[in-house]
Amino acid sequence: MRAEPVKRGAEAGETTVLLASPRSWCAGVERAIETVERALDQAGGDPVYVRKEIVHNRTVVAELAAKGAVFVDELDAVPDGEDVTVVFSAHGVSPAVRAEADRRGLRVIDATCPLVRKVHTEAHRFAEQGKTIVLIGHEGHEEAEGTMGVAPDSTVLVETAEDVADLALPADAEVAVLTQTTLAVDETTSVVDALRQRFPRLALPPSDDICYATTNRQRSAAAVVADADILLVIGSANSSNSRRLVELSHRQGVAAYLIDDAGDIDPSWLDGIGTVGVTAGASTPPALVTEVVDALRQRGPMQVYERETVTENMRFTLPRPSTIRGERS
Ligand code: SF4
């Protein structure tokens, strides 16, 4: 990797690739993947069940499945027994799922990201205070479902500032706001502003729910998009934070494409393009970025420059088995 050029590649007859940094795996994703790998090592050939995709990435799921992980949608696809291991995904689960696993005596390894657990703890606290929780998130996303499940009778979901106007709550309602960890920072701010206008006594969590990895990847993508003609975002279609990177680029007026891997690149996207921005969502393996850069290199002369906006050094400790018994969420 080289220092950034004074003269851009297109002017010199080369393609310039600007790599956003940070990109790819975050601490929560690395922890979740390592959790499954260790469980497989310790299982001695027995199946390790994983509820939902451990992280939202097609390649990660395929590689772990090839090593013996059995991905299931719900616990009813897991056999009973204390020697049956089930891993909960990084996106978290509702207390009802925990209770079901507990009731059936399953050996649980909970790979819920600690930053998602933090939001669950906030939901529990606000519900105990009698507040209505407005969760900003995406309907049907596993993280939103898990967080809603902490206090289902006290939580409503909104996606946009427009949704706030439709909430059937009086202006003096005791309302608290929480957010999915992988949302667009600027869009979420506008929803919170709309909530503040409707509910002047709106309670907020002590710190942002949108996690450091989401924020950092949006900032690094924005820095690259500022000088790129297109942005390639490597990530799967169900990866929330990857999709937010595509949207961010569109909002800055730069075409962006979500690709699972190098094979998804349509050569026509690159016709007449001088500078290609490349980034990857928090669930995307770094190796896929290397493959994409190698594929771009096949097209002709190219220089690659990395644009780092912040250095990440977050690490989370691994979860231990069956840590959920008797635990409150
Ligand atoms: Fe945790 Fe954020 Fe990574 Fe999700 S994106 S796993 S919340 S660090």
Side-chain angles (χ1 to χ4, degrees):
M1 221 76 68
R2 301 167 47 159
E4 286 198 41
V6 175
K7 206 172 178 187
R8 297 272 295 283
E11 297 166 50
E14 295 177 324
T15 302
T16 296
V17 169
L18 286 180
L19 277 177
S21 177
R23 60 178 180 272
S24 294
W25 284 348
C26 61
V29 163
E30 286 188 299
R31 173 182 185 264
I33 294 169
E34 198 176 337
T35 296
V36 177
E37 286 174 338
R38 289 214 180 181
L40 287 165
D41 285 347
Q42 290 163 5
D46 288 339
V48 169
Y49 294 90
V50 183
R51 182 185 177 277
K52 308 285 185 190
E53 292 192 348
I54 185 71
V55 300
H56 286 157
N57 186 269
R58 194 174 76 179
T59 302
V60 170
V61 169
E63 288 179 356
L64 290 174
K67 291 177 183 173
V70 180
F71 289 92
V72 297
D73 247 355
E74 291 300 344
L75 291 183
D76 55 15
V78 178
D80 286 335
E82 289 194 356
D83 54 348
V84 176
T85 298
V86 61
V87 180
F88 290 159
S89 79
H91 306 103
V93 297
S94 71
V97 174
R98 294 172 189 280
E100 166 75 0
D102 201 18
R103 186 184 64 73
R104 291 179 47 200
L106 301 173
R107 179 177 181 269
V108 169
I109 309 178
D110 185 0
T112 301
C113 177
L115 300 183
V116 175
R117 287 302 298 267
K118 177 181 84 91
V119 182
H120 287 200
T121 303
E122 289 160 353
H124 187 83
R125 185 170 57 86
F126 283 137
E128 280 201 324
Q129 292 169 354
K131 293 186 180 356
T132 297
I133 299 161
V134 177
L135 176 67
I136 308 172
H138 295 291
E139 191 163 6
H141 189 280
E142 286 143 36
E143 183 188 324
E145 287 177 350
T147 304
M148 299 269 298
V150 173
D153 297 334
S154 310
T155 311
V156 291
L157 186 74
V158 299
E159 293 199 24
T160 64
E162 290 70 45
D163 293 343
V164 172
D166 297 334
L167 288 172
L169 293 167
D172 62 351
E174 294 288 341
V175 175
V177 61
L178 295 175
T179 57
Q180 199 176 313
T181 58
T182 50
L183 300 183
V185 175
D186 46 358
E187 289 192 327
T188 303
T189 302
S190 69
V191 183
V192 172
D193 287 346
L195 282 165
R196 268 211 194 90
Q197 281 191 354
R198 253 205 86 178
F199 309 106
R201 295 191 303 173
L202 182 72
L204 287 101
S207 60
D208 274 354
D209 291 335
I210 296 178
C211 76
Y212 81 96
T214 297
T215 306
N216 288 347
R217 277 149 194 71
Q218 287 174 20
R219 286 192 182 141
S220 65
V224 158
V225 164
D227 284 323
D229 302 312
I230 67 163
L231 180 71
L232 299 180
V233 179
I234 311 162
S236 290
N238 58 348
S239 164
S240 173
N241 75 84
S242 300
R243 294 173 69 106
R244 303 294 82 78
L245 298 175
V246 172
E247 292 167 2
L248 174 152
S249 187
H250 289 162
R251 284 199 296 278
Q252 288 186 223
V254 173
Y257 301 97
L258 184 64
I259 56 173
D260 256 301
D261 53 35
D264 287 345
I265 298 173
D266 181 335
S268 70
W269 298 340
L270 303 168
D271 286 347
I273 294 294
T275 302
V276 183
V278 175
T279 191
S283 46
T284 304
L288 293 181
V289 179
T290 306
E291 285 176 24
V292 164
V293 172
D294 287 347
L296 292 172
R297 211 184 294 281
Q298 302 301 314
R299 295 176 45 85
M302 186 178 97
Q303 296 292 344
V304 182
Y305 303 94
E306 185 158 49
R307 185 168 287 184
E308 185 178 69
T309 48
V310 68
T311 303
E312 285 183 349
N313 49 22
M314 186 77 81
R315 292 284 300 170
F316 297 134
T317 55
L318 291 177
R320 285 181 296 184
S322 294
T323 51
I324 66 162
R325 272 177 188 273
E327 196 180 86
R328 189 196 70 190
S329 181

